[in-house]
Amino acid sequence: DPVSGDFTPNPRQQVSYTACLGCTTQCGVRVRIDKASGQVIRVVGNPYSPLSTEPHLPMKVSVKESLVAMSRFQDKGLAGRSTACGRGNAAMDQMSSPFRVLTPMKRAGPRNSGQWQPISFEQLVKEVVEGGDLFGEGHVDGLAALRDLERPIDAEAPELGKRVNQVAVLTSVNDGRENFSRRFWNQAYGTLNHVGHGSYCGGAYRSGSGALFGDVKKMPHAKPDLANAEFVLFIGTAPGNAGNPFKRTGGMLAKGRAEGRLDYVVVDPVLNNSHNLAAAEHGRWVPIRPGTDGALVMGMMRWMFDNDRVNTAYLAWPNLKAAQAAGEPSFTNAGWLVIAEDGHPRQGRFLRGSDIGMAVAAEDKYKDADPYLIATAGGELVAAETAAEPAVLEATRVIELGGKPVTVKTPFELLRESARAQSIDEYSAICGIPEEVITGLADEFTRHGRKASAVAHGGMMAGNGFYNAYAVVTLNALIGNLNCKGGFVMNGGGFKDNGAGPRYDLETFPGMLKPAGTPLGRNVPYERSAEFKRRQAEGKAYPATDAWFPNAPGLGTEWFPGALRGYPYGLKALILWSCNPLYGITGVRPLIEKDLADPKKLPLIVSVDPLINESNAFADYIVPDSLMYESWGWTAPWNGVPTKATTARWPVVEPKAVKTPDGAAIGMETFYLALAKAMQLPGFGAGAIADMDGKRYPLDTPEDWYLRGGANIAFAGKAPVGEASDEDLQLSGVERIRPQLEGVLKAEEWRKVAFLFTRGGRYQPASEAQDAEQPEWQAHRFTKPLWLWNETIGSARNTLTGARFRGCAQWTPPAFYDGTPVRRVHSEADWPLQIVSYKSALQNSYSIATRITGLHPDNPVVVHPADAAALGLQSGDTARIRTPGGAAECTVIVHEGVVPGVMAVEHGYGHRELGARAHRIGDQVQPDRPDLRAGINLNELGLSDPTRGGKVIWVDAVSGTAVRQGIPARLERV
Amino acid sequence: MKSCSDLPVFPASPSRRAFLRGATVLSAAAAAAPVPAVAGTGKKQWAMLVDVRKCIGCQACTVSCIQENAVPEGSFRTVVSTYSVKLTDSAQPAGTYVLPRLCNHCDNPPCIPVCPVGATYKREDGIVAVDGDLCVGCAYCVQACPYDARFINHETNKADKCTFCAHRVDAGLLPACVETCVGGARIFGDINDPEGELASRLKETQPQLKVLKPELETAPRVFYIGLDERFTGKVEGQGTLWKPRNLPHA
């Protein structure tokens, strides 16, 4: 009641708090369900979740009060608005989609023929485990035979690992269930190869960030503190249009600009919803040529160095203790000395204590215990980690190393050399941004103390993306904004479910395997391979057979061309779990679709997925998976939430897939549990999980895993969470899973875990974002150095040319792997235009068959009026885009919201599957929906790399990430 | 102790904020700002305020309305029109303009007098509603609405439009579009409740308030901050960033 605040629940409905999976943000949502039919009626935000509400409700608020807080009572619903975005509102349509896979299926024709035979769960498990002549095409090894933990893939190259590595698992994004999958595939089955979609998503940005944050594998990253910032520079990322966390970013941007506190600039080849003319005095779009962000940023840096706008006082602190004593919550390696002598074997590496005669044990030489060095004002070289005084930033000198004179420099100097490599007008000519805008941006960026920041994302997926991204994030180091309120801030992280406690050990188990070998994506040093040793012995270590990426994480981009050519080795089985690489990896489809369809090249493909997409259409088996509100899981925000947060996914409705003989719905977990049982793998079944007293419990059901993970979350930290009341259980629908809660958990645990489900997660109070003692510092801080110079980058070599990479930000044009600029191969005369992709505000790669399609049916290509006029094209006309990698017919839309010479393609259209083709499953044929085929997919127009034999896709040479920004192209009339 | 705050202070320079100042600021209202006061009846009068500066064009409102009200494919009770606007007076070549549209629940609604059967009426609380039992689907009201807010529902063959989610509002809830507005652009409430968020916001922002097509004197109950007159009617010759199916005005 809006007057009294009294609350009368509708007895026919429940409102449950769980997670959305409409995109990778995975916001907390509230799902209204018709109890009788189990149908989802509507979805909005979860008021306890910081991903949906700003500020979010404290956990102690009861479920009833949380629902009242969403009503008109005292206008609470306006002040505490908890939202779902357009896609989040539409995503529920997937639940009842006619295109869902609900039963295990086996292909009933060649791969990708669209013909399937439903099979029983028992037949599925038996065939996948035991193999046999499964398709009348000859013998196929099953997973049991392929789990070869003894024999090497190649006796001549033992570093590749055992044959079990020839079973590989590709997934997309951690939806809260990846830990279960990794337990099965890495720890129990034993393969090394289990990667996600980062290398064809925003990986170049993450790699650039990883270089600055000193970890190119985990790639830490920070985000603007939009709640407190005064100025933010977004380069190749579109706040409020897309991105992660989408709603939180969009909401804070809207609030900041409407209140007048926040000014921001979006630098991008294409205009989007991050601009808003109604708030034009607070936000500006700066158009830029694709793949030239590094030129803009190095131009800004040059101006900052030349005009004394770099925060040198901050940069000089060589360690955290000294920095904090000076009031700085972060520090950099700007003053640590680097060996800069051309041709020196350790060129690009830091000078270490052992180099200058400090006492370091032999086994510690060049390891952590061997200190980095700075020069002091007194001219001494001292250990960086323990110095209490600032480093001299301009410290170039010649020292004697091994009896030879060697030049050393500081990262500060090396970066400044990079910035001064070109003049600002040269940088301006490259990126197409007027000189006064470059200097104006640099001026503005350095005028807000720490309440400014610069960030990037998908726009970095160019042929020089790593260095562009490294440049953008390095801007932040130059003003010292990391960990500062209003500056560049870290994610609060989540509460760990699969840790070694505090209630159950979900991290280890008896018989656990530790996978080893060379990852399929070759993201390790070539110099440690047998091939290198052989070639070195032959006198020519470089070139290698192909590219290696020692400074990249696992690379899905390299998997398919690599595995199908057998370099570094071939695959015997591929598991595709909820991923769609053929749709998502730029340029890969034309290179591999023929081989992928050939069982001789890759004998077994099994997919676990609720839908048939462009990739698992090639599978031999599809196993239905739970979808969105049907699944268990524990997810943490990817980034952008400064407080600790874990979102609970739980089956708020009964999963629709058919049941196993045990009566559980078929899904990823029940499939893997059955595989584990059939192969008698460790870590599953009776006694697989131990509590803190060493008492053992079974892992036979998904609940055995996720509820105990919930117990670890509920009891994490100083004090456990509260207990769910009976009213909480009733109103939230958690009552339905009460038997499982009470059955799996201990008496003192189950109501605490139920508390998490009734609130949809565990969330630290919003008021704890900043440090209690130091209100200008963030509570969750990055405590390691920022690497202005990164020695793992600066000492790595291009495996085709042997050339060294530069260890700091720089401008370098988009190029193929061996360094050949793309425009030298595909000239502007032949390919006068370029295409870029941009994220849709509505559609993602798998939301096509929802109500979004009626609202936003296709993706006309944005063409600049000047380019359209040259061809006589108008909005609505059909044209053909041609690139060196393919051609596609498209509709054009003509307006000034794009850089001349560039065509912009929205992501999420041009589907061949997900409803765009009607499959036959047994005697059923799916509905025919030609409208779902609308538009084009830029990823089908990507390029191969001629410097790698034209057999692999074009990727960035450092990060190994797919290139989808700045593909040479032309437009033709049809 | 100092902390993140030892800000270097730089002298003002001629280039200061040149890149932001160069942007177009929307022109001031041509018409006088509407006065959102209703005769002091003391009765509930529902209204909406849309702060366009806070709209991020995400269409959460559009989709939530479709789901809440089972709006058939291709029709919209509310939608956010999204334009790419060529700028000639700015350092940037184009900008994005978004305009959330819905029934204005006019105090002087042109749709009511044209209805031959009296199916369209104004509720006591100001909501303009359609009685489906009476409606014959003649579409006169669709033609009469200057805001393109009405359509014939091709499943029911009746006139259809935004109801401010009267079924939700009567139950003490917010309209679906308001509840899910990601940017917080939509404010809903009772104009006559001076304690309420809506009335106080309207009062606070009165000089900036505008309505769509004030010259028609329809007295809309949907007010806007940041409205640009160029986009209040049917928009010809401007680029849309994208286009929904069957939509007349975007």
Side-chain angles (χ1 to χ4, degrees):
Chain A
D1 185 281
V3 180
S4 65
D6 285 351
F7 171 75
T8 317
N10 181 337
R12 295 184 304 279
Q13 297 182 357
Q14 76 186 53
V15 177
S16 304
Y17 294 131
T18 184
C20 180
L21 209 58
C23 78
T24 58
T25 303
Q26 300 173 32
C27 296
V29 287
R30 66 183 194 274
V31 180
R32 186 146 57 93
I33 298 155
D34 179 70
K35 284 185 186 172
S37 67
Q39 290 292 311
V40 176
I41 303 168
R42 257 203 73 211
V43 178
V44 210
N46 172 358
Y48 296 105
S49 165
L51 290 167
S52 297
T53 319
E54 171 67 23
H56 55 285
L57 284 182
M59 299 280 290
K60 62 175 186 287
V61 171
S62 73
V63 172
K64 182 172 133 181
E65 289 164 338
S66 77
L67 295 171
V68 173
M70 299 293 93
S71 75
R72 286 201 289 106
F73 175 58
Q74 296 173 345
D75 283 330
K76 278 173 183 282
L78 292 174
R81 196 169 339 218
S82 183
T83 66
C85 66
R87 186 164 50 233
N89 268 285
M92 63 182 232
D93 293 345
Q94 297 274 25
M95 301 291 288
S96 51
S97 165
F99 302 111
R100 279 192 67 172
V101 174
L102 296 172
T103 182
M105 318 192 299
K106 175 181 180 176
R107 69 178 161 91
R111 283 184 182 161
N112 197 34
S113 62
Q115 313 281 327
W116 304 91
Q117 190 58 45
I119 57 171
S120 70
F121 188 64
E122 294 94 322
Q123 185 187 343
L124 166 77
V125 172
K126 185 173 191 301
E127 292 189 3
V128 168
V129 169
E130 294 175 13
D133 185 8
L134 303 173
F135 303 97
E137 299 163 353
H139 178 81
V140 180
D141 278 342
L143 291 177
L146 294 174
R147 186 171 179 257
D148 186 340
L149 302 169
E150 302 300 327
R151 287 183 295 168
I153 294 169
D154 179 351
E156 303 291 306
E159 80 280 3
L160 297 178
K162 308 300 182 194
R163 294 190 181 184
V164 68
N165 286 345
Q166 293 180 292
V167 177
V169 186
L170 188 65
T171 178
S172 165
V173 66
N174 185 359
D175 66 344
R177 309 191 293 153
E178 188 178 310
N179 293 330
F180 187 93
S181 180
R182 286 193 172 278
R183 179 182 178 101
F184 179 83
W185 289 110
N186 294 147
Q187 296 174 296
Y189 190 81
T191 177
L192 177 69
N193 289 308
H194 189 302
V195 307
H197 79 309
S199 60
Y200 51 99
C201 178
Y205 169 61
R206 292 295 301 276
S207 279
S209 180
L212 183 74
F213 283 79
D215 184 344
V216 294
K217 299 296 176 184
K218 293 201 179 111
M219 306 176 296
H221 60 139
K223 287 267 186 182
D225 180 14
L226 278 173
N228 300 293
E230 292 177 4
F231 180 73
V232 182
L233 179 56
F234 298 93
I235 304 181
T237 183
N241 184 78
N244 185 346
F246 167 62
K247 288 185 310 190
R248 197 177 149 78
T249 302
M252 290 192 300
L253 185 86
K255 186 164 186 276
R257 74 187 174 204
E259 285 174 352
R261 170 191 32 92
L262 174 70
D263 290 342
Y264 66 100
V265 171
V266 177
V267 179
D268 204 291
V270 58
L271 176 72
N272 55 52
N273 284 358
S274 51
H275 186 252
N276 180 324
L277 274 174
E281 67 274 34
H282 295 294
R284 176 170 167 184
W285 171 50
V286 172
I288 187 168
R289 291 192 190 122
T292 65
D293 314 282
L296 162 68
V297 174
M298 297 315 289
M300 287 175 63
M301 278 190 201
R302 171 159 196 154
W303 187 89
M304 288 161 65
F305 279 115
D306 291 351
N307 292 275
D308 201 17
R309 290 293 189 84
V310 171
N311 191 341
T312 50
Y314 160 80
L315 291 175
W317 296 112
N319 59 59
L320 188 61
K321 196 173 161 205
Q324 288 193 343
E328 303 288 358
S330 67
F331 74 109
T332 74
N333 71 0
W336 302 2
L337 296 170
V338 180
I339 296 170
E341 184 70 32
D342 264 346
H344 189 278
R346 297 192 66 243
Q347 183 186 352
R349 297 238 172 231
F350 285 99
L351 189 68
R352 295 296 193 108
S354 63
D355 289 327
I356 61 163
M358 286 185 179
V360 174
E363 67 271 22
D364 289 336
K365 192 172 162 78
Y366 300 147
K367 297 204 174 122
D368 287 351
D370 193 350
Y372 299 101
L373 300 170
I374 60 164
T376 67
E380 285 175 292
L381 301 189
V382 301
E385 286 92 329
T386 50
E389 59 189 305
V392 174
L393 294 177
E394 299 186 65
T396 298
R397 66 198 59 206
V398 176
I399 60 166
E400 205 177 272
L401 269 192
K404 287 185 186 147
V406 169
T407 302
V408 295
K409 294 179 179 178
T410 65
F412 177 87
E413 293 169 312
L414 290 163
L415 180 64
R416 191 172 57 183
E417 284 173 14
S418 269
R420 288 179 176 164
Q422 310 219 30
S423 64
I424 293 175
D425 68 322
E426 285 169 326
Y427 286 128
S428 167
I430 293 164
C431 65
I433 297 175
E435 215 178 315
E436 65 271 19
V437 176
I438 297 177
T439 58
L441 280 170
D443 182 29
E444 186 69 20
F445 182 70
T446 52
R447 280 184 174 278
H448 298 271
R450 318 309 171 91
K451 294 198 187 301
S453 56
V455 70
H457 208 195
M460 302 295 105
M461 298 295 276
N464 53 354
F466 168 80
Y467 281 108
N468 289 345
Y470 196 6
V472 175
V473 288
T474 297
L475 278 174
N476 296 291
L478 298 185
I479 60 170
N481 61 5
L482 183 68
N483 298 333
C484 289
K485 181 181 177 184
F488 208 37
V489 304
M490 301 307 290
N491 201 29
F495 299 88
K496 200 168 165 76
D497 60 324
N498 68 325
R503 300 296 294 182
Y504 298 95
D505 181 0
L506 300 182
E507 200 170 83
T508 61
F509 52 84
M512 186 177 100
L513 298 172
K514 204 161 187 278
T518 301
L520 192 53
R522 299 183 308 283
N523 53 314
V524 289
Y526 158 65
E527 291 76 7
R528 288 188 206 150
S529 70
E531 180 189 346
F532 175 79
K533 290 188 190 80
R534 192 182 71 239
R535 288 181 190 269
Q536 195 179 38
E538 289 163 2
K540 202 163 173 3
Y542 302 94
T545 301
D546 198 356
W548 291 62
F549 304 91
N551 289 304
L555 291 177
T557 43
E558 289 289 313
W559 272 32
F560 289 93
L564 292 165
R565 289 182 303 148
Y567 186 74
Y569 48 84
L571 284 184
K572 304 285 193 199
L574 174 68
I575 315 299
L576 299 169
W577 173 38
S578 287
C579 64
N580 194 357
L582 258 67
Y583 182 83
I585 301 180
T586 318
V588 88
R589 185 172 184 123
L591 292 178
I592 64 158
E593 64 181 330
K594 197 157 152 274
D595 285 349
L596 198 62
D598 181 356
K600 291 189 189 64
K601 300 266 170 56
L602 207 175
L604 182 63
I605 305 177
V606 179
S607 169
V608 183
D609 206 301
L611 298 164
I612 304 175
N613 62 36
E614 284 76 5
S615 306
N616 65 4
F618 285 81
D620 299 315
Y621 296 89
I622 301 184
V623 184
D625 199 3
S626 55
L627 183 63
M628 236 163 11
Y629 319 127
E630 299 173 345
S631 308
W632 295 100
W634 299 106
T635 78
W638 177 74
N639 206 327
V641 178
T643 47
K644 242 178 156 176
T646 288
T647 298
R649 290 182 77 194
W650 59 283
V652 301
V653 292
E654 191 59 34
K656 280 200 163 71
V658 300
K659 305 278 193 279
T660 68
D662 298 337
I666 298 174
M668 179 272 283
E669 293 88 350
T670 47
F671 177 49
Y672 292 177
L673 284 162
L675 292 180
K677 196 171 175 185
M679 290 186 278
Q680 297 183 314
L681 299 186
F684 291 85
I689 295 172
D691 68 12
M692 294 298 98
D693 299 326
K695 192 160 177 273
R696 304 207 74 87
Y697 302 88
L699 175 43
D700 288 328
T701 67
E703 294 76 21
D704 285 336
W705 174 260
Y706 291 107
L707 297 184
R708 292 197 175 92
N712 281 346
I713 290 168
F715 284 81
K718 288 189 203 101
V721 298
E723 302 202 331
S725 68
D726 286 347
E727 183 193 70
D728 290 341
L729 294 174
Q730 286 295 342
L731 288 175
S732 63
V734 175
E735 185 67 24
R736 198 174 65 81
I737 59 165
R738 181 169 173 166
Q740 288 98 312
L741 285 161
E742 290 195 82
V744 171
L745 297 169
K746 298 176 187 174
E748 70 271 25
E749 290 170 346
W750 82 265
R751 275 189 190 267
K752 292 193 187 301
V753 177
F755 185 85
L756 304 179
F757 292 121
T758 58
R759 270 74 174 168
R762 182 170 181 183
Y763 302 106
Q764 186 184 12
S767 57
E768 294 176 14
Q770 278 80 37
D771 189 281
E773 310 276 307
Q774 289 273 17
E776 294 298 312
W777 293 7
Q778 290 297 107
H780 295 279
R781 297 193 290 274
F782 187 78
T783 56
K784 293 175 181 164
L786 291 179
W787 300 72
L788 255 55
W789 179 270
N790 183 309
E791 68 175 347
T792 70
I793 306 285
S795 62
R797 288 175 188 274
N798 185 303
T799 59
L800 292 188
T801 65
R804 230 178 260 284
F805 291 104
R806 186 165 175 81
C808 67
Q810 63 169 346
W811 161 247
T812 177
F816 291 114
Y817 183 79
D818 79 347
T820 306
V822 63
R823 281 307 195 183
R824 199 178 298 160
V825 179
H826 304 297
S827 71
E828 286 187 44
D830 291 341
W831 309 97
L833 304 176
Q834 297 182 78
I835 50 175
V836 297
S837 83
Y838 67 101
K839 234 178 180 181
S840 173
L842 271 168
Q843 197 72 269
N844 72 8
S845 58
Y846 55 91
S847 59
I848 188 78
T850 66
R851 290 302 292 268
I852 290 172
T853 295
L855 176 60
H856 192 346
D858 65 349
N859 63 341
V861 172
V862 186
V863 179
H864 191 271
D867 298 322
L871 290 161
L873 290 170
Q874 294 180 333
S875 282
D877 288 352
T878 303
R880 186 181 295 108
I881 293 183
R882 193 179 294 283
T883 73
E889 261 191 25
C890 64
T891 307
V892 300
I893 190 163
V894 181
H895 60 76
E896 278 83 359
V898 69
V899 174
V902 171
M903 299 182 287
V905 182
E906 187 176 8
H907 187 53
Y909 295 86
H911 276 288
R912 297 167 183 246
E913 301 291 354
L914 294 169
R917 168 169 69 151
H919 286 244
R920 175 181 285 278
I921 302 169
D923 53 6
Q924 304 284 313
V925 179
Q926 292 180 334
D928 184 34
R929 286 278 304 272
D931 60 320
L932 302 182
R933 296 194 280 272
I936 68 164
N937 175 13
L938 173 139
N939 292 330
E940 296 210 358
L941 300 172
L943 268 54
S944 61
D945 186 339
T947 72
R948 297 175 61 189
K951 299 272 200 276
V952 298
I953 64 164
W954 182 21
V955 298
D956 177 86
V958 177
S959 61
T961 50
V963 177
R964 60 168 191 263
Q965 311 296 15
I967 298 172
R970 54 178 182 251
L971 190 63
E972 299 166 352
R973 288 187 65 100
V974 291
Chain B
M1 193 197 294
K2 297 179 294 180
S3 62
C4 292
S5 52
D6 54 332
L7 312 181
V9 177
F10 301 116
S13 77
S15 70
R16 167 120 169 88
R17 301 198 51 198
F19 54 94
L20 282 171
R21 259 202 333 260
T24 301
V25 179
L26 294 176
S27 54
V35 181
V38 172
T41 57
K43 276 193 256 168
K44 272 200 188 340
Q45 287 294 310
W46 299 121
M48 191 182 290
L49 169 64
V50 181
D51 186 341
V52 181
R53 301 169 305 175
K54 286 189 164 184
C55 177
I56 60 170
C58 71
Q59 311 288 348
C61 50
T62 312
V63 184
S64 70
C65 172
I66 288 171
Q67 304 285 36
E68 177 73 29
N69 297 298
V71 180
E73 182 92 32
S75 297
F76 300 93
R77 289 183 175 192
T78 185
V79 71
V80 181
S81 300
T82 308
Y83 307 101
S84 168
V85 183
K86 180 180 180 176
L87 301 174
T88 50
D89 51 353
S90 164
Q92 77 184 58
T96 300
Y97 188 75
V98 288
L99 180 60
R101 298 171 184 265
L102 67 161
C103 170
N104 282 257
H105 296 276
C106 308
D107 210 25
N108 181 22
C111 52
I112 291 183
V114 300
C115 180
V117 293
T120 284
Y121 65 104
K122 197 164 168 73
R123 302 198 334 178
E124 276 207 339
D125 58 10
I127 293 177
V128 175
V130 179
D131 183 338
D133 291 339
L134 297 178
C135 177
V136 294
C138 71
Y140 287 176
C141 58
V142 176
Q143 297 298 323
C145 174
Y147 304 109
D148 290 321
R150 287 174 169 254
F151 57 94
I152 297 296
N153 182 320
H154 55 73
E155 283 168 10
T156 62
N157 290 319
K158 310 279 184 190
D160 202 330
K161 62 178 276 295
C162 160
T163 64
F164 271 164
C165 280
H167 62 293
R168 292 177 55 91
V169 172
D170 293 347
L173 300 172
L174 291 164
C177 61
V178 175
E179 165 181 69
T180 203
C181 179
V182 173
R186 293 186 185 221
I187 305 288
F188 179 83
D190 175 11
I191 293 184
N192 283 339
D193 175 9
E195 304 295 306
E197 176 81 11
L198 177 86
S200 57
R201 289 270 196 114
L202 286 174
K203 202 172 154 196
E204 237 169 67
T205 56
Q206 207 277 334
Q208 298 160 268
L209 290 184
K210 289 181 200 173
V211 293
L212 293 174
K213 300 187 181 174
E215 69 282 4
L216 298 179
E217 297 182 346
T218 54
R221 289 286 172 79
V222 175
F223 303 93
Y224 290 88
I225 300 172
L227 193 63
D228 184 332
E229 275 90 17
R230 286 177 288 178
F231 306 105
T232 56
K234 291 191 196 226
V235 177
E236 306 292 345
Q238 291 283 354
T240 50
L241 284 180
W242 49 272
K243 207 169 184 141
R245 273 181 203 153
N246 311 329
L247 198 68
H249 48 52

